mmCIF file with all atom_site columns, all heavy atoms in Angstrom:
data_model
loop_
_atom_site.group_PDB
_atom_site.id
_atom_site.type_symbol
_atom_site.label_atom_id
_atom_site.label_alt_id
_atom_site.label_comp_id
_atom_site.label_asym_id
_atom_site.label_entity_id
_atom_site.label_seq_id
_atom_site.pdbx_PDB_ins_code
_atom_site.Cartn_x
_atom_site.Cartn_y
_atom_site.Cartn_z
_atom_site.occupancy
_atom_site.B_iso_or_equiv
_atom_site.pdbx_formal_charge
_atom_site.auth_seq_id
_atom_site.auth_comp_id
_atom_site.auth_asym_id
_atom_site.auth_atom_id
_atom_site.pdbx_PDB_model_num
ATOM 1   N N   . ALA A 1 1  ? 0.812  -1.221  -0.005 1.00 0.00 ? 865 ALA A N   1
ATOM 2   C CA  . ALA A 1 1  ? 0.006  -0.001  -0.002 1.00 0.00 ? 865 ALA A CA  1
ATOM 3   C C   . ALA A 1 1  ? 0.846  1.268   -0.003 1.00 0.00 ? 865 ALA A C   1
ATOM 4   O O   . ALA A 1 1  ? 0.306  2.375   -0.071 1.00 0.00 ? 865 ALA A O   1
ATOM 5   C CB  . ALA A 1 1  ? -0.927 -0.012  1.223  1.00 0.00 ? 865 ALA A CB  1
ATOM 6   N N   . ILE A 1 2  ? 2.178  1.170   0.060  1.00 0.00 ? 866 ILE A N   1
ATOM 7   C CA  . ILE A 1 2  ? 3.064  2.347   0.127  1.00 0.00 ? 866 ILE A CA  1
ATOM 8   C C   . ILE A 1 2  ? 3.268  2.950   -1.261 1.00 0.00 ? 866 ILE A C   1
ATOM 9   O O   . ILE A 1 2  ? 3.740  2.289   -2.177 1.00 0.00 ? 866 ILE A O   1
ATOM 10  C CB  . ILE A 1 2  ? 4.440  1.962   0.721  1.00 0.00 ? 866 ILE A CB  1
ATOM 11  C CG1 . ILE A 1 2  ? 4.291  1.475   2.154  1.00 0.00 ? 866 ILE A CG1 1
ATOM 12  C CG2 . ILE A 1 2  ? 5.387  3.160   0.665  1.00 0.00 ? 866 ILE A CG2 1
ATOM 13  C CD1 . ILE A 1 2  ? 5.564  0.905   2.740  1.00 0.00 ? 866 ILE A CD1 1
ATOM 14  N N   . THR A 1 3  ? 2.883  4.216   -1.408 1.00 0.00 ? 867 THR A N   1
ATOM 15  C CA  . THR A 1 3  ? 3.162  4.953   -2.644 1.00 0.00 ? 867 THR A CA  1
ATOM 16  C C   . THR A 1 3  ? 3.798  6.310   -2.336 1.00 0.00 ? 867 THR A C   1
ATOM 17  O O   . THR A 1 3  ? 4.319  6.965   -3.249 1.00 0.00 ? 867 THR A O   1
ATOM 18  C CB  . THR A 1 3  ? 1.869  5.194   -3.449 1.00 0.00 ? 867 THR A CB  1
ATOM 19  O OG1 . THR A 1 3  ? 0.914  5.910   -2.645 1.00 0.00 ? 867 THR A OG1 1
ATOM 20  C CG2 . THR A 1 3  ? 1.254  3.851   -3.890 1.00 0.00 ? 867 THR A CG2 1
ATOM 21  N N   . HIS A 1 4  ? 3.723  6.757   -1.092 1.00 0.00 ? 868 HIS A N   1
ATOM 22  C CA  . HIS A 1 4  ? 4.195  8.083   -0.685 1.00 0.00 ? 868 HIS A CA  1
ATOM 23  C C   . HIS A 1 4  ? 4.878  7.928   0.679  1.00 0.00 ? 868 HIS A C   1
ATOM 24  O O   . HIS A 1 4  ? 4.496  7.060   1.474  1.00 0.00 ? 868 HIS A O   1
ATOM 25  C CB  . HIS A 1 4  ? 3.010  9.066   -0.594 1.00 0.00 ? 868 HIS A CB  1
ATOM 26  C CG  . HIS A 1 4  ? 3.394  10.473  -0.289 1.00 0.00 ? 868 HIS A CG  1
ATOM 27  N ND1 . HIS A 1 4  ? 3.602  10.927  1.001  1.00 0.00 ? 868 HIS A ND1 1
ATOM 28  C CD2 . HIS A 1 4  ? 3.623  11.528  -1.108 1.00 0.00 ? 868 HIS A CD2 1
ATOM 29  C CE1 . HIS A 1 4  ? 3.933  12.202  0.965  1.00 0.00 ? 868 HIS A CE1 1
ATOM 30  N NE2 . HIS A 1 4  ? 3.953  12.599  -0.303 1.00 0.00 ? 868 HIS A NE2 1
ATOM 31  N N   . PRO A 1 5  ? 5.889  8.766   0.993  1.00 0.00 ? 869 PRO A N   1
ATOM 32  C CA  . PRO A 1 5  ? 6.567  8.646   2.283  1.00 0.00 ? 869 PRO A CA  1
ATOM 33  C C   . PRO A 1 5  ? 5.616  8.656   3.478  1.00 0.00 ? 869 PRO A C   1
ATOM 34  O O   . PRO A 1 5  ? 5.863  7.947   4.473  1.00 0.00 ? 869 PRO A O   1
ATOM 35  C CB  . PRO A 1 5  ? 7.508  9.854   2.314  1.00 0.00 ? 869 PRO A CB  1
ATOM 36  C CG  . PRO A 1 5  ? 7.835  10.091  0.879  1.00 0.00 ? 869 PRO A CG  1
ATOM 37  C CD  . PRO A 1 5  ? 6.575  9.765   0.127  1.00 0.00 ? 869 PRO A CD  1
ATOM 38  N N   . GLN A 1 6  ? 4.532  9.420   3.410  1.00 0.00 ? 870 GLN A N   1
ATOM 39  C CA  . GLN A 1 6  ? 3.603  9.456   4.526  1.00 0.00 ? 870 GLN A CA  1
ATOM 40  C C   . GLN A 1 6  ? 2.797  8.178   4.672  1.00 0.00 ? 870 GLN A C   1
ATOM 41  O O   . GLN A 1 6  ? 2.147  7.961   5.714  1.00 0.00 ? 870 GLN A O   1
ATOM 42  C CB  . GLN A 1 6  ? 2.674  10.662  4.405  1.00 0.00 ? 870 GLN A CB  1
ATOM 43  C CG  . GLN A 1 6  ? 3.342  11.987  4.723  1.00 0.00 ? 870 GLN A CG  1
ATOM 44  C CD  . GLN A 1 6  ? 3.989  11.988  6.099  1.00 0.00 ? 870 GLN A CD  1
ATOM 45  O OE1 . GLN A 1 6  ? 3.379  11.574  7.103  1.00 0.00 ? 870 GLN A OE1 1
ATOM 46  N NE2 . GLN A 1 6  ? 5.240  12.460  6.185  1.00 0.00 ? 870 GLN A NE2 1
ATOM 47  N N   . ASP A 1 7  ? 2.836  7.295   3.661  1.00 0.00 ? 871 ASP A N   1
ATOM 48  C CA  . ASP A 1 7  ? 2.183  5.996   3.794  1.00 0.00 ? 871 ASP A CA  1
ATOM 49  C C   . ASP A 1 7  ? 2.917  5.123   4.787  1.00 0.00 ? 871 ASP A C   1
ATOM 50  O O   . ASP A 1 7  ? 2.377  4.087   5.222  1.00 0.00 ? 871 ASP A O   1
ATOM 51  C CB  . ASP A 1 7  ? 2.126  5.293   2.436  1.00 0.00 ? 871 ASP A CB  1
ATOM 52  C CG  . ASP A 1 7  ? 1.182  5.973   1.441  1.00 0.00 ? 871 ASP A CG  1
ATOM 53  O OD1 . ASP A 1 7  ? 0.247  6.655   1.920  1.00 0.00 ? 871 ASP A OD1 1
ATOM 54  O OD2 . ASP A 1 7  ? 1.395  5.831   0.236  1.00 0.00 ? 871 ASP A OD2 1
ATOM 55  N N   . LEU A 1 8  ? 4.139  5.520   5.154  1.00 0.00 ? 872 LEU A N   1
ATOM 56  C CA  . LEU A 1 8  ? 4.879  4.781   6.174  1.00 0.00 ? 872 LEU A CA  1
ATOM 57  C C   . LEU A 1 8  ? 4.290  4.991   7.568  1.00 0.00 ? 872 LEU A C   1
ATOM 58  O O   . LEU A 1 8  ? 4.453  4.145   8.449  1.00 0.00 ? 872 LEU A O   1
ATOM 59  C CB  . LEU A 1 8  ? 6.344  5.201   6.174  1.00 0.00 ? 872 LEU A CB  1
ATOM 60  C CG  . LEU A 1 8  ? 7.172  4.846   4.923  1.00 0.00 ? 872 LEU A CG  1
ATOM 61  C CD1 . LEU A 1 8  ? 8.528  5.545   4.983  1.00 0.00 ? 872 LEU A CD1 1
ATOM 62  C CD2 . LEU A 1 8  ? 7.352  3.339   4.839  1.00 0.00 ? 872 LEU A CD2 1
ATOM 63  N N   . ARG A 1 9  ? 3.634  6.132   7.755  1.00 0.00 ? 873 ARG A N   1
ATOM 64  C CA  . ARG A 1 9  ? 3.167  6.494   9.097  1.00 0.00 ? 873 ARG A CA  1
ATOM 65  C C   . ARG A 1 9  ? 2.235  5.428   9.707  1.00 0.00 ? 873 ARG A C   1
ATOM 66  O O   . ARG A 1 9  ? 2.469  5.030   10.869 1.00 0.00 ? 873 ARG A O   1
ATOM 67  C CB  . ARG A 1 9  ? 2.467  7.854   9.064  1.00 0.00 ? 873 ARG A CB  1
ATOM 68  C CG  . ARG A 1 9  ? 1.982  8.316   10.431 1.00 0.00 ? 873 ARG A CG  1
ATOM 69  C CD  . ARG A 1 9  ? 1.427  9.738   10.362 1.00 0.00 ? 873 ARG A CD  1
ATOM 70  N NE  . ARG A 1 9  ? 2.497  10.668  9.976  1.00 0.00 ? 873 ARG A NE  1
ATOM 71  C CZ  . ARG A 1 9  ? 3.384  11.157  10.826 1.00 0.00 ? 873 ARG A CZ  1
ATOM 72  N NH1 . ARG A 1 9  ? 3.341  10.807  12.110 1.00 0.00 ? 873 ARG A NH1 1
ATOM 73  N NH2 . ARG A 1 9  ? 4.301  11.981  10.408 1.00 0.00 ? 873 ARG A NH2 1
ATOM 74  N N   . PRO A 1 10 ? 1.207  4.953   9.001  1.00 0.00 ? 874 PRO A N   1
ATOM 75  C CA  . PRO A 1 10 ? 0.344  3.936   9.630  1.00 0.00 ? 874 PRO A CA  1
ATOM 76  C C   . PRO A 1 10 ? 1.093  2.665   10.012 1.00 0.00 ? 874 PRO A C   1
ATOM 77  O O   . PRO A 1 10 ? 0.670  1.945   10.924 1.00 0.00 ? 874 PRO A O   1
ATOM 78  C CB  . PRO A 1 10 ? -0.709 3.640   8.543  1.00 0.00 ? 874 PRO A CB  1
ATOM 79  C CG  . PRO A 1 10 ? -0.689 4.828   7.636  1.00 0.00 ? 874 PRO A CG  1
ATOM 80  C CD  . PRO A 1 10 ? 0.729  5.327   7.653  1.00 0.00 ? 874 PRO A CD  1
ATOM 81  N N   . LEU A 1 11 ? 2.206  2.396   9.315  1.00 0.00 ? 875 LEU A N   1
ATOM 82  C CA  . LEU A 1 11 ? 2.994  1.188   9.604  1.00 0.00 ? 875 LEU A CA  1
ATOM 83  C C   . LEU A 1 11 ? 3.988  1.379   10.750 1.00 0.00 ? 875 LEU A C   1
ATOM 84  O O   . LEU A 1 11 ? 4.495  0.400   11.313 1.00 0.00 ? 875 LEU A O   1
ATOM 85  C CB  . LEU A 1 11 ? 3.740  0.756   8.366  1.00 0.00 ? 875 LEU A CB  1
ATOM 86  C CG  . LEU A 1 11 ? 2.884  0.430   7.138  1.00 0.00 ? 875 LEU A CG  1
ATOM 87  C CD1 . LEU A 1 11 ? 3.764  0.164   5.925  1.00 0.00 ? 875 LEU A CD1 1
ATOM 88  C CD2 . LEU A 1 11 ? 1.994  -0.759  7.406  1.00 0.00 ? 875 LEU A CD2 1
ATOM 89  N N   . LEU A 1 12 ? 4.260  2.654   11.081 1.00 0.00 ? 876 LEU A N   1
ATOM 90  C CA  . LEU A 1 12 ? 5.298  2.917   12.080 1.00 0.00 ? 876 LEU A CA  1
ATOM 91  C C   . LEU A 1 12 ? 4.764  3.528   13.375 1.00 0.00 ? 876 LEU A C   1
ATOM 92  O O   . LEU A 1 12 ? 5.518  3.718   14.312 1.00 0.00 ? 876 LEU A O   1
ATOM 93  C CB  . LEU A 1 12 ? 6.341  3.878   11.479 1.00 0.00 ? 876 LEU A CB  1
ATOM 94  C CG  . LEU A 1 12 ? 7.050  3.407   10.206 1.00 0.00 ? 876 LEU A CG  1
ATOM 95  C CD1 . LEU A 1 12 ? 8.020  4.486   9.710  1.00 0.00 ? 876 LEU A CD1 1
ATOM 96  C CD2 . LEU A 1 12 ? 7.792  2.105   10.446 1.00 0.00 ? 876 LEU A CD2 1
ATOM 97  N N   . ILE A 1 13 ? 3.478  3.821   13.416 1.00 0.00 ? 877 ILE A N   1
ATOM 98  C CA  . ILE A 1 13 ? 2.968  4.565   14.567 1.00 0.00 ? 877 ILE A CA  1
ATOM 99  C C   . ILE A 1 13 ? 2.673  3.689   15.780 1.00 0.00 ? 877 ILE A C   1
ATOM 100 O O   . ILE A 1 13 ? 2.655  4.170   16.921 1.00 0.00 ? 877 ILE A O   1
ATOM 101 C CB  . ILE A 1 13 ? 1.695  5.372   14.174 1.00 0.00 ? 877 ILE A CB  1
ATOM 102 C CG1 . ILE A 1 13 ? 1.463  6.492   15.178 1.00 0.00 ? 877 ILE A CG1 1
ATOM 103 C CG2 . ILE A 1 13 ? 0.494  4.443   14.060 1.00 0.00 ? 877 ILE A CG2 1
ATOM 104 C CD1 . ILE A 1 13 ? 0.431  7.487   14.734 1.00 0.00 ? 877 ILE A CD1 1
ATOM 105 N N   . SER A 1 14 ? 2.466  2.377   15.572 1.00 0.00 ? 878 SER A N   1
ATOM 106 C CA  . SER A 1 14 ? 2.161  1.513   16.715 1.00 0.00 ? 878 SER A CA  1
ATOM 107 C C   . SER A 1 14 ? 3.437  1.105   17.435 1.00 0.00 ? 878 SER A C   1
ATOM 108 O O   . SER A 1 14 ? 4.539  1.144   16.865 1.00 0.00 ? 878 SER A O   1
ATOM 109 C CB  . SER A 1 14 ? 1.380  0.265   16.241 1.00 0.00 ? 878 SER A CB  1
ATOM 110 O OG  . SER A 1 14 ? 2.103  -0.423  15.263 1.00 0.00 ? 878 SER A OG  1
ATOM 111 N N   . PRO A 1 15 ? 3.355  0.726   18.716 1.00 0.00 ? 879 PRO A N   1
ATOM 112 C CA  . PRO A 1 15 ? 4.542  0.486   19.547 1.00 0.00 ? 879 PRO A CA  1
ATOM 113 C C   . PRO A 1 15 ? 5.501  -0.559  18.979 1.00 0.00 ? 879 PRO A C   1
ATOM 114 O O   . PRO A 1 15 ? 5.090  -1.560  18.389 1.00 0.00 ? 879 PRO A O   1
ATOM 115 C CB  . PRO A 1 15 ? 3.942  0.016   20.864 1.00 0.00 ? 879 PRO A CB  1
ATOM 116 C CG  . PRO A 1 15 ? 2.585  0.610   20.899 1.00 0.00 ? 879 PRO A CG  1
ATOM 117 C CD  . PRO A 1 15 ? 2.110  0.596   19.495 1.00 0.00 ? 879 PRO A CD  1
ATOM 118 N N   . PHE A 1 16 ? 6.797  -0.295  19.160 1.00 0.00 ? 880 PHE A N   1
ATOM 119 C CA  . PHE A 1 16 ? 7.845  -1.231  18.781 1.00 0.00 ? 880 PHE A CA  1
ATOM 120 C C   . PHE A 1 16 ? 9.105  -0.864  19.546 1.00 0.00 ? 880 PHE A C   1
ATOM 121 O O   . PHE A 1 16 ? 9.428  0.310   19.725 1.00 0.00 ? 880 PHE A O   1
ATOM 122 C CB  . PHE A 1 16 ? 8.137  -1.171  17.268 1.00 0.00 ? 880 PHE A CB  1
ATOM 123 C CG  . PHE A 1 16 ? 9.182  -2.161  16.829 1.00 0.00 ? 880 PHE A CG  1
ATOM 124 C CD1 . PHE A 1 16 ? 8.811  -3.441  16.431 1.00 0.00 ? 880 PHE A CD1 1
ATOM 125 C CD2 . PHE A 1 16 ? 10.532 -1.850  16.820 1.00 0.00 ? 880 PHE A CD2 1
ATOM 126 C CE1 . PHE A 1 16 ? 9.755  -4.375  16.033 1.00 0.00 ? 880 PHE A CE1 1
ATOM 127 C CE2 . PHE A 1 16 ? 11.490 -2.752  16.424 1.00 0.00 ? 880 PHE A CE2 1
ATOM 128 C CZ  . PHE A 1 16 ? 11.103 -4.032  16.028 1.00 0.00 ? 880 PHE A CZ  1
ATOM 129 N N   . THR A 1 17 ? 9.828  -1.886  19.961 1.00 0.00 ? 881 THR A N   1
ATOM 130 C CA  . THR A 1 17 ? 11.125 -1.677  20.604 1.00 0.00 ? 881 THR A CA  1
ATOM 131 C C   . THR A 1 17 ? 12.117 -2.691  20.006 1.00 0.00 ? 881 THR A C   1
ATOM 132 O O   . THR A 1 17 ? 11.869 -3.886  20.025 1.00 0.00 ? 881 THR A O   1
ATOM 133 C CB  . THR A 1 17 ? 11.055 -1.895  22.114 1.00 0.00 ? 881 THR A CB  1
ATOM 134 O OG1 . THR A 1 17 ? 10.133 -0.958  22.677 1.00 0.00 ? 881 THR A OG1 1
ATOM 135 C CG2 . THR A 1 17 ? 12.416 -1.696  22.762 1.00 0.00 ? 881 THR A CG2 1
ATOM 136 N N   . GLY A 1 18 ? 13.197 -2.169  19.453 1.00 0.00 ? 882 GLY A N   1
ATOM 137 C CA  . GLY A 1 18 ? 14.202 -3.034  18.836 1.00 0.00 ? 882 GLY A CA  1
ATOM 138 C C   . GLY A 1 18 ? 15.100 -2.197  17.936 1.00 0.00 ? 882 GLY A C   1
ATOM 139 O O   . GLY A 1 18 ? 15.186 -0.969  18.065 1.00 0.00 ? 882 GLY A O   1
ATOM 140 N N   . SER A 1 19 ? 15.765 -2.861  17.004 1.00 0.00 ? 883 SER A N   1
ATOM 141 C CA  . SER A 1 19 ? 16.648 -2.150  16.074 1.00 0.00 ? 883 SER A CA  1
ATOM 142 C C   . SER A 1 19 ? 15.887 -1.788  14.803 1.00 0.00 ? 883 SER A C   1
ATOM 143 O O   . SER A 1 19 ? 14.789 -2.317  14.531 1.00 0.00 ? 883 SER A O   1
ATOM 144 C CB  . SER A 1 19 ? 17.842 -3.028  15.710 1.00 0.00 ? 883 SER A CB  1
ATOM 145 O OG  . SER A 1 19 ? 17.421 -4.141  14.912 1.00 0.00 ? 883 SER A OG  1
ATOM 146 N N   . LEU A 1 20 ? 16.469 -0.894  14.020 1.00 0.00 ? 884 LEU A N   1
ATOM 147 C CA  . LEU A 1 20 ? 15.850 -0.487  12.749 1.00 0.00 ? 884 LEU A CA  1
ATOM 148 C C   . LEU A 1 20 ? 15.712 -1.699  11.845 1.00 0.00 ? 884 LEU A C   1
ATOM 149 O O   . LEU A 1 20 ? 14.681 -1.880  11.171 1.00 0.00 ? 884 LEU A O   1
ATOM 150 C CB  . LEU A 1 20 ? 16.682 0.595   12.076 1.00 0.00 ? 884 LEU A CB  1
ATOM 151 C CG  . LEU A 1 20 ? 16.214 1.020   10.672 1.00 0.00 ? 884 LEU A CG  1
ATOM 152 C CD1 . LEU A 1 20 ? 14.796 1.581   10.718 1.00 0.00 ? 884 LEU A CD1 1
ATOM 153 C CD2 . LEU A 1 20 ? 17.183 2.068   10.079 1.00 0.00 ? 884 LEU A CD2 1
ATOM 154 N N   . GLY A 1 21 ? 16.737 -2.550  11.794 1.00 0.00 ? 885 GLY A N   1
ATOM 155 C CA  . GLY A 1 21 ? 16.652 -3.736  10.971 1.00 0.00 ? 885 GLY A CA  1
ATOM 156 C C   . GLY A 1 21 ? 15.544 -4.665  11.383 1.00 0.00 ? 885 GLY A C   1
ATOM 157 O O   . GLY A 1 21 ? 14.804 -5.200  10.543 1.00 0.00 ? 885 GLY A O   1
ATOM 158 N N   . GLN A 1 22 ? 15.382 -4.872  12.684 1.00 0.00 ? 886 GLN A N   1
ATOM 159 C CA  . GLN A 1 22 ? 14.296 -5.728  13.181 1.00 0.00 ? 886 GLN A CA  1
ATOM 160 C C   . GLN A 1 22 ? 12.933 -5.125  12.844 1.00 0.00 ? 886 GLN A C   1
ATOM 161 O O   . GLN A 1 22 ? 11.995 -5.850  12.481 1.00 0.00 ? 886 GLN A O   1
ATOM 162 C CB  . GLN A 1 22 ? 14.446 -5.901  14.695 1.00 0.00 ? 886 GLN A CB  1
ATOM 163 C CG  . GLN A 1 22 ? 15.632 -6.758  15.105 1.00 0.00 ? 886 GLN A CG  1
ATOM 164 C CD  . GLN A 1 22 ? 15.889 -6.704  16.598 1.00 0.00 ? 886 GLN A CD  1
ATOM 165 O OE1 . GLN A 1 22 ? 15.545 -5.719  17.272 1.00 0.00 ? 886 GLN A OE1 1
ATOM 166 N NE2 . GLN A 1 22 ? 16.505 -7.757  17.145 1.00 0.00 ? 886 GLN A NE2 1
ATOM 167 N N   . LEU A 1 23 ? 12.813 -3.830  12.960 1.00 0.00 ? 887 LEU A N   1
ATOM 168 C CA  . LEU A 1 23 ? 11.565 -3.147  12.623 1.00 0.00 ? 887 LEU A CA  1
ATOM 169 C C   . LEU A 1 23 ? 11.217 -3.342  11.159 1.00 0.00 ? 887 LEU A C   1
ATOM 170 O O   . LEU A 1 23 ? 10.081 -3.701  10.814 1.00 0.00 ? 887 LEU A O   1
ATOM 171 C CB  . LEU A 1 23 ? 11.677 -1.653  12.942 1.00 0.00 ? 887 LEU A CB  1
ATOM 172 C CG  . LEU A 1 23 ? 10.493 -0.784  12.459 1.00 0.00 ? 887 LEU A CG  1
ATOM 173 C CD1 . LEU A 1 23 ? 9.248  -1.101  13.271 1.00 0.00 ? 887 LEU A CD1 1
ATOM 174 C CD2 . LEU A 1 23 ? 10.830 0.681   12.545 1.00 0.00 ? 887 LEU A CD2 1
ATOM 175 N N   . LEU A 1 24 ? 12.173 -3.077  10.285 1.00 0.00 ? 888 LEU A N   1
ATOM 176 C CA  . LEU A 1 24 ? 11.916 -3.190  8.851  1.00 0.00 ? 888 LEU A CA  1
ATOM 177 C C   . LEU A 1 24 ? 11.545 -4.621  8.473  1.00 0.00 ? 888 LEU A C   1
ATOM 178 O O   . LEU A 1 24 ? 10.628 -4.850  7.671  1.00 0.00 ? 888 LEU A O   1
ATOM 179 C CB  . LEU A 1 24 ? 13.141 -2.735  8.052  1.00 0.00 ? 888 LEU A CB  1
ATOM 180 C CG  . LEU A 1 24 ? 13.477 -1.236  8.165  1.00 0.00 ? 888 LEU A CG  1
ATOM 181 C CD1 . LEU A 1 24 ? 14.768 -0.946  7.412  1.00 0.00 ? 888 LEU A CD1 1
ATOM 182 C CD2 . LEU A 1 24 ? 12.334 -0.379  7.644  1.00 0.00 ? 888 LEU A CD2 1
ATOM 183 N N   . ASP A 1 25 ? 12.228 -5.591  9.047  1.00 0.00 ? 889 ASP A N   1
ATOM 184 C CA  . ASP A 1 25 ? 11.941 -6.990  8.759  1.00 0.00 ? 889 ASP A CA  1
ATOM 185 C C   . ASP A 1 25 ? 10.535 -7.364  9.200  1.00 0.00 ? 889 ASP A C   1
ATOM 186 O O   . ASP A 1 25 ? 9.797  -8.052  8.505  1.00 0.00 ? 889 ASP A O   1
ATOM 187 C CB  . ASP A 1 25 ? 12.967 -7.881  9.439  1.00 0.00 ? 889 ASP A CB  1
ATOM 188 C CG  . ASP A 1 25 ? 12.733 -9.347  9.152  1.00 0.00 ? 889 ASP A CG  1
ATOM 189 O OD1 . ASP A 1 25 ? 12.668 -9.717  7.963  1.00 0.00 ? 889 ASP A OD1 1
ATOM 190 O OD2 . ASP A 1 25 ? 12.630 -10.146 10.104 1.00 0.00 ? 889 ASP A OD2 1
ATOM 191 N N   . ALA A 1 26 ? 10.133 -6.888  10.406 1.00 0.00 ? 890 ALA A N   1
ATOM 192 C CA  . ALA A 1 26 ? 8.827  -7.244  10.952 1.00 0.00 ? 890 ALA A CA  1
ATOM 193 C C   . ALA A 1 26 ? 7.689  -6.508  10.268 1.00 0.00 ? 890 ALA A C   1
ATOM 194 O O   . ALA A 1 26 ? 6.633  -7.086  9.995  1.00 0.00 ? 890 ALA A O   1
ATOM 195 C CB  . ALA A 1 26 ? 8.797  -6.959  12.453 1.00 0.00 ? 890 ALA A CB  1
ATOM 196 N N   . ARG A 1 27 ? 7.857  -5.214  10.001 1.00 0.00 ? 891 ARG A N   1
ATOM 197 C CA  . ARG A 1 27 ? 6.755  -4.395  9.493  1.00 0.00 ? 891 ARG A CA  1
ATOM 198 C C   . ARG A 1 27 ? 6.693  -4.331  7.974  1.00 0.00 ? 891 ARG A C   1
ATOM 199 O O   . ARG A 1 27 ? 5.598  -4.295  7.410  1.00 0.00 ? 891 ARG A O   1
ATOM 200 C CB  . ARG A 1 27 ? 6.882  -2.973  10.057 1.00 0.00 ? 891 ARG A CB  1
ATOM 201 C CG  . ARG A 1 27 ? 6.857  -2.860  11.573 1.00 0.00 ? 891 ARG A CG  1
ATOM 202 C CD  . ARG A 1 27 ? 5.450  -2.711  12.096 1.00 0.00 ? 891 ARG A CD  1
ATOM 203 N NE  . ARG A 1 27 ? 5.396  -2.773  13.550 1.00 0.00 ? 891 ARG A NE  1
ATOM 204 C CZ  . ARG A 1 27 ? 5.234  -1.725  14.358 1.00 0.00 ? 891 ARG A CZ  1
ATOM 205 N NH1 . ARG A 1 27 ? 5.116  -0.522  13.848 1.00 0.00 ? 891 ARG A NH1 1
ATOM 206 N NH2 . ARG A 1 27 ? 5.181  -1.892  15.652 1.00 0.00 ? 891 ARG A NH2 1
ATOM 207 N N   . LEU A 1 28 ? 7.850  -4.278  7.308  1.00 0.00 ? 892 LEU A N   1
ATOM 208 C CA  . LEU A 1 28 ? 7.875  -4.067  5.870  1.00 0.00 ? 892 LEU A CA  1
ATOM 209 C C   . LEU A 1 28 ? 8.435  -5.272  5.107  1.00 0.00 ? 892 LEU A C   1
ATOM 210 O O   . LEU A 1 28 ? 8.283  -5.347  3.881  1.00 0.00 ? 892 LEU A O   1
ATOM 211 C CB  . LEU A 1 28 ? 8.692  -2.818  5.507  1.00 0.00 ? 892 LEU A CB  1
ATOM 212 C CG  . LEU A 1 28 ? 8.218  -1.522  6.165  1.00 0.00 ? 892 LEU A CG  1
ATOM 213 C CD1 . LEU A 1 28 ? 9.099  -0.352  5.739  1.00 0.00 ? 892 LEU A CD1 1
ATOM 214 C CD2 . LEU A 1 28 ? 6.775  -1.229  5.795  1.00 0.00 ? 892 LEU A CD2 1
ATOM 215 N N   . GLY A 1 29 ? 9.115  -6.179  5.773  1.00 0.00 ? 893 GLY A N   1
ATOM 216 C CA  . GLY A 1 29 ? 9.562  -7.398  5.134  1.00 0.00 ? 893 GLY A CA  1
ATOM 217 C C   . GLY A 1 29 ? 11.034 -7.399  4.752  1.00 0.00 ? 893 GLY A C   1
ATOM 218 O O   . GLY A 1 29 ? 11.678 -6.343  4.645  1.00 0.00 ? 893 GLY A O   1
ATOM 219 N N   . ASP A 1 30 ? 11.539 -8.601  4.513  1.00 0.00 ? 894 ASP A N   1
ATOM 220 C CA  . ASP A 1 30 ? 12.949 -8.776  4.189  1.00 0.00 ? 894 ASP A CA  1
ATOM 221 C C   . ASP A 1 30 ? 13.383 -8.047  2.911  1.00 0.00 ? 894 ASP A C   1
ATOM 222 O O   . ASP A 1 30 ? 14.474 -7.480  2.877  1.00 0.00 ? 894 ASP A O   1
ATOM 223 C CB  . ASP A 1 30 ? 13.283 -10.266 4.092  1.00 0.00 ? 894 ASP A CB  1
ATOM 224 C CG  . ASP A 1 30 ? 14.741 -10.522 3.805  1.00 0.00 ? 894 ASP A CG  1
ATOM 225 O OD1 . ASP A 1 30 ? 15.577 -10.164 4.681  1.00 0.00 ? 894 ASP A OD1 1
ATOM 226 O OD2 . ASP A 1 30 ? 15.066 -11.032 2.724  1.00 0.00 ? 894 ASP A OD2 1
#
């Protein structure tokens, strides 16, 4: 569903604790 930088917001606004790599793998995929 990502077409614009602000489309990242719904995917990043909920709680997460970890590294950037772990976040990207979990939320956006390998």
Side-chain angles (χ1 to χ4, degrees):
I866 297 172
T867 59
H868 185 276
Q870 286 304 313
D871 291 335
L872 294 170
R873 182 174 297 278
L875 301 173
L876 302 178
I877 200 168
S878 56
F880 182 90
T881 300
S883 68
L884 175 59
Q886 290 169 333
L887 172 70
L888 293 176
D889 181 54
R891 300 271 173 105
L892 303 180
D894 182 65

